[in-house]
Amino acid sequence: MKNLLLKLYTTNALTKDELLYLLTNIDEEYEKELFRLSDLTRRKYYSNKVYFRGLIEFSNHCRNTCKYCGLRTQNKNVERYRLSTQEILDCCDSGYKMGLRTFVLQSGEDGYFTEDILVDIAKRIKDEFPDAALTYSIGEKSEACYEKIFNAGADRFLLRHESANKKLYEGLHPNMSFENRLKCLKNLKSIGYQAGSGFIVGLPNQTDEIIAEDLLLLKNIDLQMVGVGPFIPQSDTPLCDCESGSSRKTLICLAIVRLLLPKTLIPATTALAVVSKDGWINGVKIAANVIMLNLSPPSAKDKYRIYDGKNLLLDSAKQSLCSTISKLNREGFVADMSKGNYPDWERNDNYEYNA
Ligand code: 5AD
């Protein structure tokens, strides 16, 4: 185990068998060492900086039927909503005034937002806030559509692969294809987006071997952003009675991602905060360097229930900005409100390994 961790730290790579061995056999002592090496690696590129983003959940309509997600089409217990372009701009404006310089626009796969509308939203955001970065997280689109939105000003795109195992992926996502998911990620990268992906930890029937495949997929695509969070059952889905993913396993995965992709931007996910009270700050202490503040209007926040418990985090963005920054400062981290592009890291060799 010691040699494996050292190899992961020095080469930023492991084989599938090595990852599987690590995931299955790591004990408390080596877990501490894994977390130490991951933290050291993050500090080497990002020092103690944590970037802030503003998240706008602009529609909870979705044509898909993902078995774990509360926004799935068949869920009749959701009150569906869409924000208008003006409402989206107002959310950006409130975030901009707080100092945020990245807006993440997320929605279900909602056909109402045609290519033309998405292009218009991107142009208007970039016109009004030229010094801010725009991230879309809106699911699968054609290559041509991704390209038009990119040309209209979108800088980044988040599309989690959810699970790298074709059988598990297709079992959880009726009528969707794993190959198309990968093709979308490839297209996003080749168009020039800073691309993000990621997976869910603790999905029913997920094995350590599948998690090893998830980790390798992220490494092979060489992503600039990686989101990993625990599975949380949602009461109106077919997986409502399944157990949540563990925060310990999620933290181990985050640390491995940090070591496989040292410069990647990793958010401390909301799902981590839902499964464990200290989840998000532990995520930051170990590997994460991004926090997303929810800028959606209160009425929308309450309806964007992808998993249970999410609506309990209903502090206003301003309140959470203050409390999050003080908690970070107490732990020795500093908030960085700049755009925080992937290439903005700077290597600092003060953080070196000592055995
Ligand atoms: N538990 C954990 N994560 C979920 N997501 C959706 N539903 C759940 C759930 N029940 C994640 C997916 C999606 C992201 C926006 O939220 O990974 O990509």
Side-chain angles (χ1 to χ4, degrees):
M1 186 61 78
K2 191 173 177 10
N3 289 340
L4 216 53
L5 291 181
L6 200 54
K7 177 177 173 196
L8 177 58
Y9 173 76
T10 49
T11 66
N12 305 119
L14 287 183
T15 65
K16 181 175 162 187
D17 285 345
E18 289 168 335
L19 283 168
L20 178 57
Y21 182 88
L22 196 166
L23 287 163
T24 313
N25 295 299
I26 190 158
D27 61 11
E28 257 177 46
E29 181 194 341
Y30 283 113
E31 189 179 293
K32 272 200 196 124
E33 180 63 357
L34 170 71
F35 293 167
R36 188 176 79 88
L37 295 177
S38 160
D39 177 46
L40 208 54
T41 301
R42 171 262 308 278
R43 284 175 197 269
K44 193 183 289 181
Y45 296 101
Y46 290 102
S47 179
N48 58 346
K49 269 194 292 204
V50 177
Y51 294 109
F52 278 71
R53 321 291 196 204
L55 174 68
I56 300 159
E57 296 159 335
F58 67 95
S59 163
N60 69 353
H61 288 258
C62 191
R63 63 165 165 247
N64 292 331
T65 52
C66 309
K67 291 201 176 138
Y68 47 80
C69 180
L71 305 191
R72 65 203 309 270
T73 287
Q74 285 94 334
N75 185 1
K76 301 295 175 230
N77 294 336
V78 198
E79 207 184 311
R80 307 278 173 176
Y81 73 90
R82 293 185 177 106
L83 301 188
S84 67
T85 303
Q86 190 52 52
E87 285 171 314
I88 296 172
L89 287 164
D90 291 345
C91 293
C92 294
D93 191 58
S94 72
Y96 192 90
K97 288 184 175 137
M98 286 187 253
L100 298 172
R101 292 296 178 269
T102 291
F103 303 118
V104 182
L105 266 56
Q106 190 178 87
S107 70
E109 292 204 8
D110 180 1
Y112 170 88
F113 287 92
T114 56
E115 184 177 294
D116 287 346
I117 299 181
L118 294 166
V119 161
D120 179 62
I121 294 172
K123 282 190 177 149
R124 289 182 57 184
I125 291 179
K126 289 303 220 167
D127 273 353
E128 280 200 32
F129 311 100
D131 58 338
L134 171 61
T135 307
Y136 264 128
S137 174
I138 52 178
E140 297 180 13
K141 303 272 173 202
S142 68
E143 183 175 12
C145 179
Y146 283 150
E147 192 155 11
K148 286 212 175 103
I149 301 170
F150 180 77
N151 291 334
D155 307 275
R156 310 178 189 150
F157 203 102
L158 302 175
L159 184 76
R160 288 193 180 175
H161 69 273
E162 315 292 4
S163 173
N165 181 275
K166 182 175 158 66
K167 196 162 154 242
L168 184 61
Y169 180 91
E170 292 182 354
L172 290 167
H173 305 94
N175 308 317
M176 293 175 79
S177 108
F178 180 62
E179 284 76 21
N180 195 54
R181 197 77 174 175
L182 293 185
K183 197 168 128 227
C184 286
L185 282 169
K186 199 174 123 249
N187 289 340
L188 290 164
K189 280 208 74 175
S190 69
I191 289 166
Y193 282 99
Q194 292 169 52
S197 195
F199 63 98
I200 304 178
V201 177
L203 285 165
N205 300 321
Q206 184 187 54
T207 57
D208 282 343
E209 185 179 357
I210 294 180
I211 296 184
E213 292 168 15
D214 283 314
L215 294 163
L216 276 185
L217 185 148
L218 298 171
K219 170 78 179 169
N220 290 338
I221 307 184
D222 191 20
L223 291 147
Q224 284 106 21
M225 299 170 284
V226 172
V228 173
F231 163 70
I232 302 173
Q234 209 279 1
S235 46
D236 300 311
T237 63
L239 303 185
C240 58
D241 293 325
C242 298
E243 243 179 77
S244 290
S246 88
S247 68
R248 171 176 182 254
K249 192 75 157 207
T250 306
L251 293 172
I252 290 173
C253 289
L254 288 176
I256 299 176
V257 169
R258 170 59 67 211
L259 287 158
L260 289 173
L261 293 161
K263 297 163 218 158
T264 196
L265 291 151
I266 301 180
T269 51
T270 313
L272 197 52
V274 171
V275 289
S276 124
K277 197 171 118 299
D278 297 323
W280 74 268
I281 192 71
N282 286 335
V284 171
K285 285 194 207 165
I286 288 161
N289 59 343
V290 172
I291 301 275
M292 301 228 203
L293 291 183
N294 197 326
L295 298 175
S296 315
S299 60
K301 255 190 221 175
D302 194 34
K303 297 182 188 120
Y304 203 83
R305 295 192 195 182
I306 45 185
Y307 42 77
D308 287 346
K310 184 173 169 286
N311 53 324
L312 296 176
L313 308 168
L314 277 181
D315 274 6
S316 76
K318 219 175 194 160
Q319 281 167 327
S320 35
L321 179 66
C322 294
S323 58
T324 308
I325 292 182
S326 24
K327 178 100 182 164
L328 285 173
N329 292 346
R330 282 202 296 279
E331 298 290 344
F333 293 94
V334 294
D336 188 314
M337 304 297 280
S338 69
K339 256 203 236 187
N341 274 320
Y342 175 76
D344 287 352
W345 51 269
E346 222 174 279
R347 194 182 162 104
N348 181 341
D349 284 315
N350 287 335
Y351 297 100
E352 264 314 327
Y353 176 74
N354 69 63

